[in-house]
Amino acid sequence: MAVKRILCVGLCNLDIIQLCDNFPIEDSDQRSTRSRWQRGGNASNNCTVLALLGARCELLATFSDSEHFGFALRDLERRGIETGRCVVHQGCEIPLSTVWLSATSGSRTIVHSNPDLPELTVEEFGRCDLREYSWVHFEGRRSATEIAKMICRIKEWNEKSDAEYQITVSVDLEKPRDSNLLLIANANVVFLGKDFARFLGFDSSEEAVRGLRNSHPGSYTIICPWGSTGVSALDEKNNFYSCGVYPPESVRDSLGAGDTFCAGCIFQLNRGKQLQDALEFGSRLAGLKIGDFGFDHLKEKIPDMM
């Protein structure tokens, strides 16, 4: 039997990145020290890292037919990331993120624009052949009601399918919006982002995983990375796990660090690794990512981690 794919459902956009000595002052004029274009979006970045790790992966997103979006399509193709079921919309503007990286602090500031590109619908998700996937990962977006319906379709699939066709569902809840809570009920793994956890009133990763379990009980795994203070997690049986961070000597590019962590955890859990091992792997991988620009430098580091 062919190795099944990991499907990532969410956004693909274009990042325009400027590296500055310091964050720009309002109404100022200054040069950046380095600039680049990069394919971005959470689900898109998840696929980039999974492909670098050697996983078979597929992106399901809505695309613009804009000439500029061809850059993203060519990059997906050269990395071997499947895009055949993506939905192309005519005449829509390209989703665009303008990113400022501060060389002094290592911070990244993002201004995002997505004026008219439609979100995926459950009908478009229904064109996927679920027999082809072992894991489906959803990026929490504004269209939470539609995403919840997609997850319900996988639940129904699992209920009527044999063990060899079971699919693990994970969700990445990052943005501070109440609608993210709709995605928890039928997920197997919940990545609880720091910003969303704070929005819910939690002040640490341990408080967040325990608090979410109390407010939304269920047999799912919760993973909450909390920046430099580390990661906390609860498995489906309520066992607690924690993991430290592995920062590089200097932080050069924190853009996509959270996506890298998620992808590292998914990669290991999909291979049957234990939760603690997956947390450590994801944390180490994210530490390597922020030590240099983009993602491609991970390729030479990954063999030492496997």
Side-chain angles (χ1 to χ4, degrees):
M1 181 183 295
V3 176
K4 294 187 177 183
R5 291 194 296 278
I6 298 171
L7 176 65
C8 297
V9 184
L11 179 68
C12 182
N13 70 283
L14 183 63
D15 292 339
I16 298 178
I17 302 164
Q18 301 275 10
L19 176 65
C20 306
D21 290 331
N22 296 285
F23 183 79
I25 300 171
E26 184 178 358
D27 200 25
S28 66
D29 185 358
Q30 69 182 67
R31 285 184 177 273
S32 63
T33 59
R34 180 172 178 171
S35 64
R36 72 180 189 274
W37 286 25
Q38 179 176 295
R39 174 176 49 80
N42 289 19
S44 172
N45 288 341
N46 295 146
C47 282
T48 297
V49 177
L50 287 166
L52 288 169
L53 289 167
R56 293 189 66 214
C57 59
E58 178 178 344
L59 175 66
L60 181 61
T62 53
F63 288 169
S64 163
D65 67 341
S66 162
E67 180 180 348
H68 292 96
F69 203 76
F71 170 86
L73 292 174
R74 289 189 295 272
D75 188 61
L76 287 160
E77 183 178 357
R78 77 178 179 87
R79 295 178 185 277
I81 297 168
E82 294 281 342
T83 60
R85 293 185 176 95
C86 289
V87 182
V88 180
H89 290 277
Q90 307 295 318
C92 292
E93 293 187 33
I94 181 173
L96 180 68
S97 292
T98 307
V99 185
W100 287 270
L101 299 177
S102 169
T104 301
S105 67
S107 68
R108 89 287 187 276
T109 302
I110 305 173
V111 178
H112 185 63
S113 170
N114 187 3
D116 60 1
L117 187 67
E119 297 282 346
L120 282 166
T121 67
V122 67
E123 288 77 17
E124 290 162 347
F125 176 77
R127 299 169 192 165
C128 294
D129 185 349
L130 296 181
R131 293 174 298 179
E132 299 177 3
Y133 310 113
S134 59
W135 192 296
V136 180
H137 177 66
F138 292 91
E139 171 190 345
R141 297 193 53 73
R142 296 169 301 180
S143 55
T145 302
E146 284 293 289
I147 297 170
K149 293 176 184 176
M150 298 177 202
I151 296 173
C152 281
R153 287 210 172 181
I154 299 175
K155 179 186 177 185
E156 293 167 0
W157 168 268
N158 284 339
E159 288 173 346
K160 66 182 182 183
S161 299
D162 295 335
E164 64 180 308
Y165 290 114
Q166 294 295 301
I167 297 171
T168 301
V169 173
S170 60
V171 294
D172 180 11
L173 309 182
E174 179 185 44
K175 297 294 189 294
R177 54 172 74 101
D178 284 323
S179 59
N180 279 339
L181 297 173
L182 297 172
L183 309 183
I184 294 173
N186 294 313
N188 303 109
V189 179
V190 172
F191 290 96
L192 179 59
K194 182 179 178 180
D195 288 346
F196 182 52
R198 281 179 163 169
F199 172 76
L200 295 176
F202 304 124
D203 295 320
S204 70
S205 59
E206 180 172 355
E207 181 184 340
V209 297
R210 295 191 186 281
L212 189 68
R213 174 72 86 224
N214 288 336
S215 62
H216 291 76
S219 57
Y220 58 94
T221 294
I222 313 169
I223 300 173
C224 182
W226 203 276
S228 61
T229 64
V231 183
S232 295
L234 287 177
D235 68 13
E236 68 280 2
K237 296 180 180 178
N238 239 30
N239 297 310
F240 179 76
Y241 299 81
S242 64
C243 171
V245 295
Y246 301 91
E249 291 184 7
S250 61
V251 176
R252 305 186 73 186
D253 181 5
S254 59
L255 181 66
D259 302 330
T260 301
F261 172 79
C262 285
C265 290
I266 290 169
F267 177 76
Q268 291 292 64
L269 292 171
N270 188 56
R271 299 170 71 206
K273 298 294 185 180
Q274 297 298 310
L275 179 56
Q276 185 67 50
D277 294 333
L279 299 178
E280 294 282 347
F281 184 86
S283 188
R284 289 182 184 275
L285 194 65
L288 290 172
K289 183 267 164 289
I290 65 177
D292 211 336
F293 298 103
F295 298 96
D296 285 337
H297 64 283
L298 292 175
K299 191 168 186 177
E300 62 188 47
K301 306 286 187 182
I302 286 170
D304 295 332
M305 299 180 61
M306 304 298 274

